[in-house]
Amino acid sequence: MKKLTALLCVLCLVGCSSEEDTKTTVCTAEINGVNITNSFKSNGDEITSQSIQNELDYSSSEVSAEQITATAEAYKAAYDITGVEYSYENDGSTLFENITIDFTKTDFSELMDAGLITSDSGEEVTYISLEQTLEALENSGFECK
């Protein structure tokens, strides 16, 4: 009975420690007129979820609200993947996009086909590396905290 109690205590500690390892990292940038915020939840080096908010003020461009909405609708259809939520709002001058990806519930090959993730090595993706993702984003002009 003492061994069973000790084993249960160890399992509880392991379960609790994985919660403590979860951290959130936020990266922001303004690229080509789009304000982008990427938020990552990770456990160690493995990203478990990502939330992306894009804000595009197109009022001074030659792109119409209809064109922006049509593009957003195309993304919505392309991102119809288990574990991915896509929504947008178009107020006539600004497009607000929200994309949430739960990497614990999605198929990585579907994400690659949709262009939501890439692989430099050409190998099958089994998890998303926080370190590599942050390095790529910082090299693209994002500030990460």
Side-chain angles (χ1 to χ4, degrees):
M1 187 66 165
K2 288 181 184 180
K3 288 181 184 179
L4 180 59
T5 304
L7 178 61
L8 289 175
C9 288
V10 169
L11 291 175
C12 287
L13 289 174
V14 169
C16 294
S17 67
S18 66
E19 289 294 320
E20 292 172 10
D21 293 341
T22 300
K23 75 175 194 176
T24 301
T25 306
V26 178
C27 300
T28 58
E30 187 275 317
I31 299 175
N32 297 326
V34 181
N35 292 313
I36 306 166
T37 302
N38 271 300
S39 301
F40 302 97
K41 289 193 179 186
S42 60
N43 198 342
D45 184 49
E46 182 174 356
I47 297 175
T48 56
S49 67
Q50 178 180 8
S51 176
I52 307 159
Q53 287 81 42
N54 297 322
E55 183 179 328
L56 168 64
D57 179 357
Y58 61 90
S59 61
S60 61
S61 75
E62 295 182 19
V63 179
S64 70
E66 292 79 19
Q67 290 170 314
I68 291 291
T69 299
T71 301
E73 282 295 321
Y75 281 128
K76 186 175 183 177
Y79 297 162
D80 185 19
I81 300 169
T82 300
V84 177
E85 294 179 23
Y86 176 86
S87 64
Y88 71 92
E89 182 180 324
N90 185 351
D91 70 3
S93 63
T94 305
L95 175 71
F96 303 92
E97 286 183 303
N98 291 295
I99 306 165
T100 304
I101 306 169
D102 184 340
F103 292 109
T104 66
K105 296 180 179 177
T106 193
D107 182 318
F108 289 105
S109 62
E110 287 186 62
L111 295 178
M112 289 184 76
D113 291 344
L116 287 167
I117 62 171
T118 60
S119 172
D120 294 336
S121 66
E123 295 178 17
E124 181 181 350
V125 177
T126 57
Y127 81 100
I128 307 299
S129 166
L130 179 65
E131 182 181 333
Q132 291 177 357
T133 299
L134 295 182
E135 181 180 333
L137 287 173
E138 288 171 342
N139 289 338
S140 297
F142 282 80
E143 183 178 316
C144 299
K145 297 178 184 179

